[in-house]
């Protein structure tokens, strides 16, 4: 293998957005760089393949971004979703870094476009990638190659050898051989551990085996575990993951964006026993799809069933799988493996609690049930217009919170102070900033801003 | 514990339905839930306007697709992902089917789309016949080319060879227009569609950096440029012939024309452009991933490009050696390729231009309807 005979200033572990930003940035600051991507070329890019936008501050309208979204508003949004579990210094650093990053991204081949159809609510805050995250990843690989960065695919890093405060070697498998490199500096950007179901089950409980993983099967947290075992400081709740409710028929891994199901507010959702368990109309779906991941996870066998009727079938974004369709509630129940009599009883009880009034699908309309537990507080209309449609719901894991603690230079901290030549970017350190919840497009913010910082710092260290 | 069921996303085809159409429908259901490619070309906004797609609407989207492949390289669901999206190939198959099913006779279309060899064979036969005619009937009263093949013979040969294929295309297009639900065409629709054709807007991607064709996901304008050289070259040659016809019949100025005449200037520039364009397209085709197109017609498409190149290169040779000893053979060769080209219009890749224009016009109508 030719790269084994070369000497690298910087080895970047991982191949997604943060890794690529680090590699490009390091190369532009004069370093000889190697990317070790664990996935094959067709699956390169980690979870960035599935992303679609970048949350970006701007003090006045900026190309595809409308209006104004200043640092303070951005930070307040972050405070809201994290309930204060954030490091303000790092968070503000990430937020302030977005404006310049927007241009940097363009310069390296990323094309922005106005928000996609059905995402108007994000047109002010988020810049969408034309073609989505994989097109961004493709552009960055091209930019990296043009800068002379080497890339190895299917190169799985197994161990970073630490002596005192220095990483002395990077061990990985490639072509079934064990290899070892001794670069001057290392950037780890290899994501979280959500694809390791056993780890998830240890952290969350056995129910996690029934979760679906929305992103790449290659984020197994091997390097994260290895570094935590060697005394690097950890951040983020190790038992938590960000999960949403998605179509239960989605693939076990990598279902991505299309597995979302937006019809819950117009439905009733029942569990395996055909019983309702939560207010489906509590708020608009983008504000509630995350809590439904947890609600479904708490139900028997971690599954839910969404029932709507013909009145609602065109009120939400098309789903990737066609709904189960039936002319009666009983028929739908048997097609969905539910007890027909029990579902009939649940629907009847719900229908008789609906009081009627004006229905507004796009806003909180206050159309609430009366005398029903749990209540449905908006969009409550009886299910009485066949055909009836059913979808199943499962918990889909997006990312994990456990990570490495870094400082403002993206340098990895150990219990004995910062490591001399190890930097981290992206999901592997995101727990430093995002302690809870999620903000659309913020993962790409952290990856881009800290990826650039990590690359520049690593190159500076390695070339001086 | 209940196992997680994974829906089988294989295409199920009911008897009498098209496998190609059903596969495109399956893929588009996934696209419609994703929408990341919305800004690349005209296909995706048209797709997202609907929730369910009729067969005719799928055929329309297939003809709207210019096979720029940007959506494919940007796609998170291509194989080995179990969704196995390959939108360029799926649409190419539907397109191919539309062209073949609407051509008459169908068997001839199937043969030529599939087989570039067949195109070559017909070409050879045609020019062999011409050679023979030229030898048998020459020595007339004409000058220049007409000394070799008399003008009346040319007209008798080319007029039906030109008109009949066009009638055949028109019949097929009319059938297509009905199947996609086309309505009355206004000047505004036509103007917008022609605008898209004149710049090949759909081969530029939404960001204007070109398409993904010859070098995986790297954007390039090469295919767009070569295509436009081919298209404008062809139109210039056509204009040259039209100018000659007008000079001959309206102004009573029969050929030969000198270098600075309208037919010669148009023909010369058109011929050069056509040569460059077709060679470029043929080269790019050898570089592009065949899995992202209708593979069974690769040969037919290549045959068509090379036929166009033969038309233009033999035409240029005629200009260069109009006074040489090989004039009868060169003329026969050129006229043979031209004849083959015309006869093959309804059955070769040439129909793509007519169908794509129709699709672009229909897209304008759909946009106006909202």
């Amino acid at each position: 293998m030719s790269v084994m005979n070369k000497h690298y200033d910087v080895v970047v572990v991982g191949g997604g957005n943060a890794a690529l930003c680090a590699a490009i940035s390091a190369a532009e600051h004069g370093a000889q760089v190697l990317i070790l991507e664990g996935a094959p070329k067709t699956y390169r890019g980690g979870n960035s393949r599935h992303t679609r936008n970048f949350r970006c501050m701007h003090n006045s309208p900026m190309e595809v971004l409308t209006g104004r979204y200043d640092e303070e508003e951005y930070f307040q949004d972050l405070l809201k979703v994290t309930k204060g579990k954030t490091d303000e210094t790092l968070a503000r650093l990430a937020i302030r870094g977005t404006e310049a990053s927007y241009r940097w991204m363009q310069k390296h081949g990323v094309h922005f476009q106005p928000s996609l159809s059905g995402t108007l609510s994000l047109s002010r805050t988020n810049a969408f990638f034309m073609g989505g995250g994989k097109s961004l990843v493709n552009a960055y690989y091209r930019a990296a190659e043009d800068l002379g960065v080497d890339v190895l695919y299917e190169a799985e890093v197994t161990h970073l050898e630490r002596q005192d405060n220095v990483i002395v070697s990077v061990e990985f498998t490639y072509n079934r051989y064990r290899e070892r490199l001794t670069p001057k500096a290392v950037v780890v950007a290899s994501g979280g551990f959500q694809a390791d179901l056993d780890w998830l089950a240890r952290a969350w409980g056995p129910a996690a085996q029934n979760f679906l993983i929305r992103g790449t099967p290659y984020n197994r947290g091997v390097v994260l575990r290895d570094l935590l075992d060697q005394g690097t400081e950890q951040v983020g709740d190790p038992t938590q993951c960000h999960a949403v409710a998605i179509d239960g028929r989605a693939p076990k891994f990598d279902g991505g964006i299309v597995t979302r199901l937006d019809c819950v507010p117009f439905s009733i959702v029942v569990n395996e026993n055909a019983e309702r368990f939560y207010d489906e109309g509590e708020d608009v779906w983008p504000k509630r799809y995350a809590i439904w991941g947890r609600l479904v996870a708490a139900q028997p066998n971690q599954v839910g069933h969404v029932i709507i009727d013909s009145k609602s079938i065109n009120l939400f974004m098309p789903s990737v799988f066609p709904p189960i369709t039936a002319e009666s509630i009983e028929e739908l129940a048997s097609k969905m493996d539910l007890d027909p009599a029990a579902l009939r009883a649940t629907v009847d009880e719900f229908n008789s609690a609906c009081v009627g009034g004006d229905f507004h699908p796009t806003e909180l309309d206050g159309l609430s049930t009366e005398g029903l537990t749990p209540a449905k507080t908006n969009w409550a209309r009886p299910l009485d217009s066949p055909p009836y449609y059913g979808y199943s719901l499962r918990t889909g894991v997006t990312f994990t919170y456990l990570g490495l603690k870094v400082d403002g230079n993206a340098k990895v901290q150990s219990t004995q102070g910062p490591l001399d030549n190890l930097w981290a970017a992206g999901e592997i350190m995101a727990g430093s900033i995002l302690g809870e919840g999620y903000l659309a497009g913020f993962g790409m913010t952290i990856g881009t801003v800290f990826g650039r910082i990590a690359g520049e710092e690593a190159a500076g260290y390695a070339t001086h | 514990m209940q196992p997680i069921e994974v829906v089988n996303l294989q295409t199920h085809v009911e008897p009498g339905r098209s496998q190609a159409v059903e596969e495109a429908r399956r893929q588009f259901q996934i696209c419609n839930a994703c929408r990341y490619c919305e800004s690349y070309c005209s296909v995706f906004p048209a797709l997202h306007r609907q929730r369910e797609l009729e067969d005719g609407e799928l055929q329309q989207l297939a003809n709207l697709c210019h096979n720029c492949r940007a959506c494919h390289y940007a796609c998170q669901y291509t194989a080995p992902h179990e969704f196995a999206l390959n939108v360029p190939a799926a649409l190419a198959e539907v397109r191919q089917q539309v062209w073949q099913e609407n051509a008459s006779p169908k068997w001839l279309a199937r043969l030529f789309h599939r087989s570039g060899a067949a195109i070559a064979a017909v070409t050879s036969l045609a020019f062999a016949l011409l050679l023979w005619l030229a030898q048998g009937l020459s020595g007339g009263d004409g000058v220049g080319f007409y000394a070799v093949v008399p003008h009346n013979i040319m007209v008798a040969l080319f007029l039906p060879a030109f008109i009949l294929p066009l009638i055949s295309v028109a019949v097929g297009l009319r059938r297509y227009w009905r199947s996609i639900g086309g309505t009355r065409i206004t000047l505004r629709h036509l103007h917008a569609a022609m605008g898209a054709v004149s710049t090949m807007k759909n081969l530029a991607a939404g960001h204007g950096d070109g398409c993904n064709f010859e070098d995986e996901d790297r954007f390039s304008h090469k295919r767009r440029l070569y295509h436009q050289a081919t298209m404008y070259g062809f139109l210039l040659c056509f204009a040259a012939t039209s100018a000659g016809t007008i000079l001959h019949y309206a102004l009573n100025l029969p050929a030969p024309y000198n270098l600075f005449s309208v037919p010669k200037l148009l023909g010369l520039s058109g011929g050069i452009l056509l040569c460059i364009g077709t060679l470029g397209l043929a080269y790019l085709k050898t570089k592009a991933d065949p899995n992202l197109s209708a593979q069974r017609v690769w040969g037919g498409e290549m045959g068509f490009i090379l036929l166009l190149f033969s038309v233009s290169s033999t035409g240029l040779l005629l200009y260069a050696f109009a006074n040489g000893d090989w004039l009868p053979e060169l003329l026969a060769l050129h006229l043979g390729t031209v004849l083959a080209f015309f006869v093959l219009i309804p059955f070769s890749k040439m129909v793509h231009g007519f169908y794509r224009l129709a699709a672009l016009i229909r897209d304008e109508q759909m946009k106006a309807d909202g």
Side-chain angles (χ1 to χ4, degrees):
Chain A
M1 184 174 52
S2 65
V3 304
M4 296 310 296
N5 305 320
K6 275 168 95 167
H7 193 80
Y8 291 99
D9 299 314
V10 179
V11 163
V12 176
V13 182
N17 171 54
L20 289 160
C21 288
I24 290 169
S25 173
E28 284 184 335
H29 286 86
Q32 187 66 244
V33 183
L34 171 69
I35 291 175
L36 297 176
E37 160 65 308
K41 189 178 174 190
T42 45
Y43 275 114
R44 70 183 182 185
N47 281 342
S48 308
R49 293 172 61 233
H50 294 294
T51 64
R52 57 182 189 180
N53 59 37
F54 170 73
R55 185 169 285 252
C56 186
M57 72 165 265
H58 51 103
N59 290 315
S60 55
M62 184 166 134
E63 300 194 12
V64 302
L65 294 163
T66 57
R68 169 189 166 92
Y69 188 52
D70 64 19
E71 181 185 333
E72 203 46 45
E73 185 184 357
Y74 197 148
F75 182 67
Q76 290 306 322
D77 283 346
L78 183 63
L79 273 187
K80 243 179 278 166
V81 298
T82 57
K83 303 202 173 78
K85 285 189 200 162
T86 186
D87 177 322
E88 180 164 352
T89 312
L90 295 182
R92 287 190 183 274
L93 187 66
I95 291 168
R96 277 198 290 271
T98 54
E99 208 165 5
S101 290
Y102 185 100
R103 300 292 173 201
W104 187 92
M105 294 163 81
Q106 283 182 318
K107 194 181 140 211
H108 295 95
V110 176
H111 292 281
F112 292 108
Q113 63 156 86
S115 61
L116 293 169
S117 58
T119 62
L120 200 63
S121 59
L122 294 170
S123 66
R124 184 171 64 90
T125 53
N126 290 49
F128 282 68
F129 317 132
M130 191 178 292
K134 191 174 168 193
S135 72
L136 169 140
V137 164
N138 289 342
Y140 281 162
Y141 273 102
R142 291 288 186 179
E145 284 161 21
D146 291 347
L147 287 163
V149 173
D150 290 329
V151 181
L152 282 188
Y153 297 107
E154 299 179 66
E156 296 185 52
V157 177
T158 50
H159 179 55
L160 302 186
E161 182 70 27
R162 178 181 165 191
Q163 283 174 12
D164 301 321
N165 277 343
V166 178
I167 299 297
V168 291
S169 70
V170 178
E171 291 172 20
F172 61 102
T173 57
Y174 181 70
N175 277 340
R176 284 172 292 136
Y177 291 102
R178 296 184 63 167
E179 305 282 0
R180 189 167 169 276
L181 283 168
T182 53
K184 291 176 193 158
V186 178
V187 177
V188 285
S190 48
F193 67 86
Q194 68 277 6
D196 183 340
L197 284 168
D198 294 333
W199 188 345
L200 268 188
R202 284 196 301 277
W204 179 289
Q209 294 285 0
N210 273 346
F211 294 172
L212 305 178
I213 311 305
R214 301 186 69 202
T216 178
Y218 295 93
N219 281 10
R220 291 187 291 262
V222 176
V223 177
L224 174 63
R225 178 84 275 154
D226 176 60
L227 287 169
L228 291 178
D229 287 347
Q230 295 183 75
T232 52
E233 214 173 322
Q234 83 176 44
V235 287
D237 188 337
T239 69
Q240 292 303 303
C241 57
H242 182 260
V244 302
I246 59 172
D247 195 312
R249 296 165 291 180
K252 186 73 179 170
F253 291 99
D254 246 333
I257 188 81
V258 300
T259 59
R260 71 167 179 272
L261 206 52
D262 300 336
C263 57
V264 167
F266 311 119
S267 75
I268 65 166
V269 180
V270 299
N271 61 17
E272 275 194 350
N273 306 322
E275 294 158 342
R276 288 177 64 246
F277 50 89
Y278 197 81
D279 177 3
E280 300 89 348
E282 188 177 39
D283 207 338
V284 291
W285 186 239
K287 292 195 181 168
R288 281 293 167 268
Y289 72 110
I291 74 158
W292 276 87
R294 282 154 193 280
L295 289 169
V296 170
Q299 295 305 309
N301 283 321
Q302 294 69 54
V303 65
H305 300 279
V306 190
I307 319 283
I308 59 171
D309 69 3
S310 61
K311 295 195 295 292
S312 304
I313 189 69
N314 290 322
L315 295 178
F316 53 95
M317 282 276 287
S319 59
V320 67
F321 303 109
I324 295 161
T325 307
E327 287 303 318
S328 71
I329 291 291
E330 288 81 357
E331 185 195 349
L332 188 68
S334 46
K335 282 184 172 176
M336 298 179 79
D337 274 341
L338 297 170
D339 176 5
L343 186 63
R344 180 79 258 172
T346 300
V347 169
D348 285 347
E349 191 191 4
F350 171 78
N351 284 355
S352 58
C354 293
V355 293
D358 288 339
F359 170 78
H360 297 289
T362 54
E363 55 190 82
L364 300 176
D365 63 0
L367 205 54
S368 177
T369 55
E370 267 182 27
L372 185 68
T373 312
K376 183 176 179 188
T377 53
N378 286 289
W379 309 295
R381 293 193 296 178
L383 296 173
D384 56 9
S385 310
Y388 299 98
Y389 300 98
Y391 298 91
S392 62
L393 277 183
R394 280 188 186 274
T395 301
V397 178
T398 316
F399 60 87
T400 46
Y401 291 98
L402 175 68
L404 306 174
K405 187 172 170 57
V406 296
D407 64 12
N409 291 325
K411 193 168 244 197
V412 174
Q413 309 292 303
S414 81
T415 41
Q416 298 93 38
L419 296 179
D420 290 347
N421 66 341
L422 183 66
W423 288 263
E427 198 183 327
I428 199 169
M429 48 63 72
S432 302
I433 302 172
L434 196 65
E436 188 181 327
Y438 186 62
L439 203 51
F442 195 58
M444 293 302 275
T445 293
I446 296 174
T448 307
V449 175
F450 278 87
R452 291 180 58 201
I453 294 172
E456 185 177 344
E457 293 288 323
Y461 172 89
T463 57
H464 285 104
Chain B
M1 199 176 292
Q2 195 180 335
I4 290 166
E5 75 275 25
V6 172
V7 165
N8 183 1
L9 279 176
Q10 295 297 307
T11 310
H12 300 287
V13 183
E14 289 165 28
R17 307 208 67 164
S18 148
Q19 166 87 35
V21 168
E22 293 310 313
E23 172 61 12
R25 199 191 312 278
R26 174 191 81 84
Q27 298 200 16
F28 269 160
Q29 186 153 10
I30 297 166
C31 293
N32 216 353
C34 171
R35 307 199 168 190
Y36 284 11
C37 293
E38 199 167 72
S39 299
Y40 275 139
C41 68
S42 302
V43 172
F44 294 96
L47 166 66
H48 302 331
R49 281 196 287 270
Q50 284 133 305
R51 214 174 170 96
E52 305 279 338
L53 291 169
E54 301 292 324
D55 286 9
E57 290 162 342
L58 275 164
Q59 294 175 353
Q60 158 66 8
L61 293 177
N63 278 286
L64 202 52
C65 167
H66 289 52
N67 200 295
C68 85
R69 306 175 174 204
C71 66
H72 184 80
Y73 289 108
C75 181
Q76 53 194 314
Y77 300 117
T78 53
H81 194 287
E82 65 192 75
F83 289 174
L85 288 200
N86 184 344
V87 171
L91 295 187
E93 287 293 346
V94 174
R95 218 159 40 231
Q96 207 58 46
Q97 201 170 48
V98 169
W99 299 344
Q100 283 170 207
E101 294 304 308
N102 287 321
S104 42
K106 286 185 184 120
W107 64 268
L108 206 54
R110 257 193 296 273
L111 181 67
F112 286 119
H113 282 302
R114 192 175 57 232
S115 175
I119 292 177
V122 169
T123 314
S124 321
L125 280 176
F127 72 64
L129 181 71
L130 270 160
L131 268 176
W132 177 76
L133 281 173
Q135 283 164 1
L137 299 170
S138 63
D141 50 358
V143 288
F145 300 152
Y146 302 140
V148 182
V149 181
H151 181 258
N152 290 344
I153 299 271
M154 283 206 201
V155 172
L157 212 52
F158 278 88
L159 203 60
F162 180 58
I163 299 291
L164 292 177
L166 282 187
I167 291 173
S168 169
V169 169
V171 170
L173 267 183
R174 195 178 151 79
R175 208 177 298 149
Y176 170 72
W177 192 250
R178 285 196 180 142
S179 72
I180 62 172
T183 56
R184 203 175 60 83
I185 299 168
T186 69
L187 212 56
R188 209 181 49 76
H189 302 145
L190 206 58
H191 181 256
M194 285 303 208
V197 172
S198 66
T199 60
M200 275 292 122
K201 185 168 75 89
N202 281 287
L203 277 185
H207 45 56
D209 283 0
C211 65
N212 293 152
F213 196 71
E214 66 277 7
D215 185 16
E216 295 185 355
D217 59 273
R218 197 183 283 281
F219 288 92
S220 133
H221 283 297
K222 283 190 185 142
R223 181 149 169 263
R224 191 173 172 218
L225 291 174
Y226 287 135
H227 180 277
Q228 293 309 74
T230 304
M231 186 181 84
Y232 285 115
F234 178 81
L235 291 175
L236 284 170
C237 291
F238 191 75
T241 309
S242 306
T245 307
I246 291 167
L247 288 178
H248 186 102
Y249 289 104
L251 304 175
N252 202 20
L253 290 169
Y257 305 110
N258 68 38
L259 184 60
F260 294 103
S261 63
V262 173
K264 278 240 157 133
L265 285 176
L266 289 173
L268 202 55
S269 52
I272 291 170
L273 271 179
L274 197 48
C275 274
I276 295 171
T278 49
L279 279 182
L281 287 177
Y283 171 74
L284 293 184
K285 202 166 179 58
T286 65
K287 294 280 156 199
D289 183 351
N291 295 314
L292 307 187
S293 57
Q295 290 190 62
R296 67 200 159 87
V297 297
W298 194 95
E301 292 182 344
M302 193 54 122
F304 171 71
I305 295 174
L306 295 178
L307 178 57
L308 263 183
F309 174 73
S310 310
V311 169
S312 55
S313 58
T314 55
L316 289 179
L317 285 175
L318 262 187
Y319 277 135
F321 301 108
N323 300 318
D325 293 341
W326 293 91
L327 180 65
E329 287 76 12
L330 271 181
L331 185 63
L333 197 61
H334 179 61
L335 295 183
T337 57
V338 173
L339 190 61
F341 169 79
F342 279 133
V343 170
L344 292 180
I345 284 178
F347 316 112
S348 68
K349 179 77 189 270
M350 188 62 192
V351 292
H352 85 279
F354 299 100
Y355 281 91
R356 189 140 298 148
L357 181 60
L360 286 165
I361 295 170
R362 179 62 190 144
D363 191 48
E364 291 304 325
Q365 296 184 337
M366 303 279 283
K367 274 195 261 182
D369 295 346

